[in-house]
Amino acid sequence: MTVEAATQPSKLRWGELEEDDGEDLDFLLPPKQVIGPDENGIKKVVEYKFNDEGNKVKITTTTRIRKLANARLSKRAVERRSWPKFGDAVHEDVGSRLTMVSTEEILLERPRAPGTKQEETKVAGDPLAQMGKGGAVLMVCRTCGKKGDHWTSRCPYKDLAQPSETFIDKPPTDTNAAAGGTKGAYVPPSMRAGGNPERTGTDMRRRNEENSVRVTNLSEDTREPDLHELFRPFGAVSRVYVAIDQKTGTSRGFGFVNFVNREDAERAINKLNGYGYDNLILRVEWAAPRAN
DNA sequence: TATGAGCGG
């Protein structure tokens, strides 16, 4: 590389320009020239730059392309370089580009976002309509929103109306009136919807043993949260219990679910009794009062 | 196979 003083002195007042130190003045310079490579592989690059004194200098860089480069490629690969361009590359110069950028739109299949349970329940459209559209369709039960081996036709929640919510969510206006209270006034549990108006006083102190449902034939790894998840859609659940063998710590295969409202318990019994859960057929019945 | 643990400040 050679660096020589530029032959033509600039007509600009460099002193003035240097006041703005650090400003990019390269636009004042002649454009870069590339010569070659010639048949001997010699390539020359001529460019102009400002040196530290602010003078314009001409920089000539001479390089020789190693002929060895071709030798590293296979004979066929070298041959391919001389092929005529085709397709979108037809207007490209020979050897200018080896690859083309595709503008084709490629849609990637992504069944569901991992870890987001809310997302996976929201599958747009009718599942029936999605069948046969090619590929596996993630089946999501329309009613209970769970994915898996059950679907709407077999879902115990399938013809379940809106699950009755707790009194906190929906204060029953009629019982409010019955209690003689105004809107938002306290309603004793015995006067709430589903409560037994006949039971008052000391019964209120007792733990809710009402509307107790016994569930048997549970698989060994069914835990209380699983049971709650299974029964919650029918209405407010006040307690869930799975009998555990104290010695082994394993499930004894039965449990109890208590509902706030008796109607909800009844519907749960009707729907879940005989329901296949974890490869077992559940038995769901009214529980007998606990033997003390 | 099978009907629960714990009751206290």
Side-chain angles (χ1 to χ4, degrees), chain A residues 187-203:
Chain A
V187 178
S190 61
M191 300 301 276
R192 288 171 193 159
N196 189 343
E198 286 166 16
R199 294 185 175 269
T200 51
T202 52
D203 280 351

Side-chain angles (χ1 to χ4, degrees), chain A residues 89-129:
Chain A
V90 108
H91 301 298
E92 301 284 336
D93 293 338
V94 171
S96 66
R97 285 171 93 173
L98 294 175
T99 55
M100 293 299 296
V101 177
S102 171
T103 56
E104 189 183 349
E105 253 182 67
I106 297 163
L107 299 172
L108 298 178
E109 276 185 53
R110 196 155 170 267
R112 67 186 161 97
T116 53
K117 209 163 181 112
Q118 292 294 331
E119 298 285 323
E120 76 192 35
T121 60
K122 286 176 184 171
V123 169
D126 187 1
L128 268 173

Side-chain angles (χ1 to χ4, degrees), chain A residues 33 55 79 97 109 112 134 144 146 153 156 179 181 188 194 198 229 237 240 277-278 280:
Chain A
Q33 287 176 266
N55 295 320
E79 205 177 290
R97 285 171 93 173
E109 276 185 53
R112 67 186 161 97
C144 75
K146 286 186 203 167
S153 61
E198 286 166 16
E229 197 184 351
V237 169
V240 178
Y277 185 74
D278 246 3
L280 293 174

